[in-house]
Amino acid sequence: MPGKAFHIGMIARMQEHMETPFQSDGPSMITPLMAQPVLEACLAIPSWKWISVGRNRAVIRDAFGERLPQKIIDRKGKPGPESFSFQLLKAREQELREILLDGLLASHGIIDWDKIEAAFHALATQDGMQGRRLLQLADAEAWCRHWSGRKMARHDV
């Protein structure tokens, strides 16, 4: 069934993420929610029971209904990491702007200044796509600086 195939695909992507090699001095990856008994219990839930009365994760919300605040039981969606990303972006906006507009990507004409400025202006509307793109470009800029030998300032994002 399509719902079950989707569920298994999500688990397979998580498995790939978990098995990505980390540096030997990095923290261990511990994933108790990916333990076999937990996965088997989740896979046993028919996909048509995942959502009930517009509430995603309905089975777990019902199971823990007495322990969860009513606000959580009744909510129809769950915010993603965008709100945290926007807090980070707004707090370090000037530094991020300098990194991108004065960086290697800009100096080599790889990024368009006008579009970067437009993306920064879109942060006011909390446009998730623009915020993610700015963070991706900052990551690419850091990678370029690393390999070019150009260090990032200590205060850089």
Side-chain angles (χ1 to χ4, degrees):
M1 298 295 291
K4 195 56 65 182
F6 175 78
H7 200 182
I8 291 170
M10 289 176 59
I11 292 168
R13 284 190 295 280
M14 176 55 75
Q15 184 71 24
E16 181 180 315
H17 172 73
M18 289 172 18
E19 293 181 0
T20 301
F22 291 94
Q23 294 177 350
S24 60
D25 62 343
S28 299
M29 171 85 66
I30 300 172
T31 55
L33 295 178
M34 294 294 288
Q36 183 175 346
V38 175
L39 286 179
E40 287 176 355
C42 290
L43 288 170
I45 300 169
S47 60
W48 59 86
K49 289 188 175 183
W50 294 350
I51 298 174
S52 174
V53 194
R55 296 177 308 137
N56 197 356
R57 302 172 186 88
V59 174
I60 199 72
R61 290 177 199 272
D62 292 343
F64 288 92
E66 294 178 10
R67 296 178 147 186
L68 295 172
Q70 194 65 40
K71 183 178 176 180
I72 292 175
I73 293 169
D74 293 339
R75 82 176 171 204
K76 306 283 186 200
K78 180 179 175 186
E82 280 84 12
S83 60
F84 174 74
S85 294
F86 282 113
Q87 289 174 5
L88 174 66
L89 286 167
K90 291 309 286 178
R92 308 288 299 268
E93 182 176 354
Q94 188 56 41
E95 293 169 72
L96 183 59
R97 186 183 300 272
E98 290 170 14
I99 288 168
L100 292 175
L101 296 178
D102 297 333
L104 293 170
L105 297 174
S107 68
H108 287 87
I110 296 171
I111 59 175
D112 182 324
W113 280 39
D114 292 334
K115 289 185 179 178
I116 296 296
E117 285 293 346
F120 277 108
H121 289 298
L123 291 180
T125 64
Q126 293 199 349
D127 181 333
M129 186 65 85
Q130 297 297 329
R132 280 191 298 279
R133 189 67 181 136
L134 288 171
L135 290 174
Q136 290 170 338
L137 289 171
D139 187 35
E141 177 68 29
W143 183 87
C144 290
R145 288 186 188 195
H146 169 78
W147 289 107
S148 72
R150 180 176 166 190
K151 302 292 181 197
M152 296 188 57
R154 180 173 223 169
H155 71 277
D156 286 350
V157 176

